[in-house]
Amino acid sequence: MKTFLTNCTVVDCTGNPPQSNMSIVVENDRITELLNGVTMSEAKVAERVLDLEGGYVLPGLWNVHVHLGDLIPDPQLLLETESPIDYAIRAGRNAMDGLRAGITGLRIVGEDHYADFAWKRAFDAGVFVGPRIFACGRAMSITGGHGHGTLGALEVDGPFEIRKAVREQLKYGADQIKLMVTGGVMTEGESMKESQFLMDEILAATEVAHQKGKRVCVHAWGAEGVKTAIRGGVDTVEHGLLDDEAVELMVQNGVYYVPTLNSTQDTEKILKGRLPDFMVEKALGAAEAHLKGFQKALKMGVRIACGADASPVTDHTLLEIEHLNKAGMTEMEALVAATRTSADLCGVADRLGTVEVGKLADLIVLSANPLQNISNIRKLKMVLKGGSLVDINPQEGQADYRKFFF
Ligand SMILES: [Zn+2]
């Protein structure tokens, strides 16, 4: 199949300025040509010509901090009552809705019942049309640590248990390994700043994962925990209340940062989210330090990617991109974070994350310029995954995810 996309402006997300009056040739699943000022007559050799009517073409968007089955709040107490099959169905719907909103890449950082691996296989095989998935399987916490008792997190202590648990995730097909190394917002009775996994435990995880060529990502709020994790060899840090030393260590070690800004910066969502009081207090109490650390990391050139943490994936991915912009990134920087840098964090920047010849054709088309107003990422006209058109229209008869589960 040869597809000719014409009459568009390309925002390639390499960091280069946009190019107007462009055409893109897609053969099967890849971009094979980027042409300037091409007339429709030259498109006649293609089997399919899509006139984009002056739209803006970008790489598909990414969210690299996802829990497909998470529900916060969970008014129907589904997480406590539903079967693994119900859980898996809900998780898949969340992912597929994401693709229909232009989110073509997801890294899933802790999921129950190995639902992430199942959906990855289903999407890769084309059983269902969904985003590309990079999965961690079950996250690991210390006994009684952050996230214990939720989303299938494994409670493991000491290097021996950690090695066993990491190898188990690798056996099931994990692309990365996820550790909870400090307290967090969602677990009661712990401070966000408290460190949890110890150095020898983190070292055990990174040694085993790296031996297999896989990266380790860590939930880490407190700066001490962030620093222990980086010294223990981890590759990506999530959340982070970063102090100067933590940022310096990230730069020196080439560690990626996924700030999940909306979890403390979106005051409206936090206050209206029907969350327990302890969560609201922790989230808002961390807001200032979180923002300051992010801005320091941005200034110092840390590689920052887009991860939203909360569900539904659709709403929160777009919200997080807006927060990256609001917190200090230019529109272009926020878009690069949500495309190229996120693909790079997943180890696939050679084939995904930008609009370039030779890359897989995961593309979105917007009707307005996102460089003028970042919220134009919501004005979606078209999505392609691997050169195939995705149906983005609401499906007749399908229930609204938010109404159904929240
Ligand atoms: Zn998370």
Side-chain angles (χ1 to χ4, degrees):
M1 170 73 115
K2 190 168 182 174
T3 304
F4 200 90
L5 302 155
T6 190
N7 188 15
C8 60
T9 294
V10 174
V11 182
D12 66 14
C13 288
T14 63
N16 290 332
Q19 290 177 281
S20 56
N21 192 25
M22 295 289 287
S23 297
I24 303 170
V25 182
V26 174
E27 286 184 61
N28 300 318
D29 60 353
R30 283 183 195 268
I31 301 165
T32 54
E33 278 184 276
L34 291 170
L35 306 165
N36 200 297
V38 174
T39 61
M40 291 303 284
S41 62
E42 291 177 86
K44 291 226 171 83
V45 285
E47 283 121 284
R48 177 165 66 179
V49 179
L50 302 169
D51 182 354
L52 303 183
E53 300 165 327
Y56 293 78
V57 178
L58 284 80
L61 304 174
W62 287 64
N63 180 346
V64 294
H65 191 118
V66 175
H67 310 280
L68 287 175
D70 207 4
L71 282 173
I72 303 166
D74 180 13
Q76 303 176 59
L77 301 178
L78 290 175
L79 289 171
E80 288 163 38
T81 56
E82 71 192 343
S83 75
I85 297 167
D86 287 325
Y87 176 101
I89 290 171
R90 192 162 53 70
R93 172 68 196 278
N94 196 7
M96 290 185 272
D97 282 358
L99 179 65
R100 292 148 60 83
I103 301 143
T104 56
L106 301 179
R107 182 184 62 163
I108 301 174
V109 290
E111 199 70 66
D112 207 353
H113 311 301
Y114 297 118
D116 48 349
F117 299 143
W119 281 111
K120 178 190 169 97
R121 280 192 298 273
F123 295 151
D124 284 352
V127 177
F128 291 92
V129 177
R132 294 182 199 274
I133 286 186
F134 301 84
C136 295
R138 298 172 76 173
M140 290 156 217
S141 77
I142 62 166
T143 295
H146 180 70
H148 75 278
T150 66
L151 298 177
L154 291 163
E155 293 177 80
V156 288
D157 301 290
F160 294 101
E161 284 189 12
I162 297 257
R163 289 190 190 110
K164 175 85 178 167
V166 171
R167 288 184 179 127
E168 198 170 273
Q169 305 318 301
L170 295 172
K171 180 176 93 174
Y172 287 114
D175 298 295
Q176 296 195 3
I177 296 297
K178 170 75 180 298
L179 306 180
M180 310 290 200
V181 305
T182 73
V185 176
M186 304 304 170
T187 303
E188 197 166 12
E190 62 177 23
S191 151
M192 293 164 78
K193 290 187 179 164
E194 74 183 49
S195 297
Q196 296 188 344
F197 275 122
L198 301 175
M199 180 61 101
D200 64 339
E201 295 171 314
I202 295 165
L203 278 167
T206 55
E207 190 179 7
V208 172
H210 291 168
Q211 206 176 43
K212 196 84 178 171
K214 306 295 183 185
R215 288 175 169 159
V216 175
C217 59
V218 291
H219 159 106
W221 282 107
E224 289 314 311
V226 169
K227 286 180 257 188
T228 306
I230 296 173
R231 292 188 177 112
V234 308
D235 306 280
T236 96
V237 168
E238 319 290 306
H239 316 305
L241 301 174
L242 308 174
D243 62 14
D244 289 358
E245 194 186 12
V247 172
E248 271 163 39
L249 278 173
M250 289 175 115
V251 173
Q252 283 165 17
N253 293 279
V255 170
Y256 294 84
Y257 180 38
V258 184
T260 66
L261 285 173
N262 75 85
S263 56
T264 67
Q265 303 301 301
D266 203 282
T267 313
E268 192 189 334
K269 185 192 88 169
I270 295 161
L271 290 175
K272 288 188 185 164
R274 293 172 285 162
L275 302 172
D277 290 347
F278 77 87
M279 289 190 197
V280 175
E281 269 168 44
K282 284 206 248 184
L284 296 181
E288 196 185 330
H290 193 196
L291 180 62
K292 273 194 184 149
F294 166 80
Q295 288 171 341
K296 174 87 178 174
L298 177 62
K299 194 171 150 203
M300 298 300 286
V302 173
R303 290 181 288 186
I304 298 174
C306 171
D309 212 353
S311 284
V313 165
T314 299
D315 302 3
H316 287 86
T317 307
L318 303 177
L319 187 67
E320 180 67 15
I321 296 170
E322 290 168 339
H323 275 289
L324 289 168
N325 177 231
K326 198 175 164 195
M329 281 185 159
T330 64
E331 286 77 5
M332 182 65 94
E333 285 170 338
L335 293 171
V336 170
T339 56
R340 187 179 67 175
T341 312
S342 290
D344 195 27
L345 173 149
C346 291
V348 291
D350 57 333
R351 52 192 186 275
L352 289 162
T354 59
V355 184
E356 291 178 288
V357 170
K359 294 277 174 95
L360 289 164
D362 286 11
L363 303 169
I364 60 169
V365 183
L366 307 174
S367 62
N369 188 354
L371 299 171
Q372 266 166 19
N373 179 353
I374 198 69
S375 294
N376 288 337
I377 53 175
R378 296 173 183 278
K379 295 185 177 164
L380 189 67
K381 276 168 73 100
M382 194 180 286
V383 177
L384 288 101
K385 182 197 167 195
S388 296
L389 260 180
V390 175
D391 181 3
I392 64 168
N393 298 310
Q395 289 180 40
E396 213 173 319
Q398 190 175 42
D400 184 276
Y401 181 93
R402 294 167 211 85
K403 277 192 200 139
F404 197 69
F405 294 118
F406 285 94

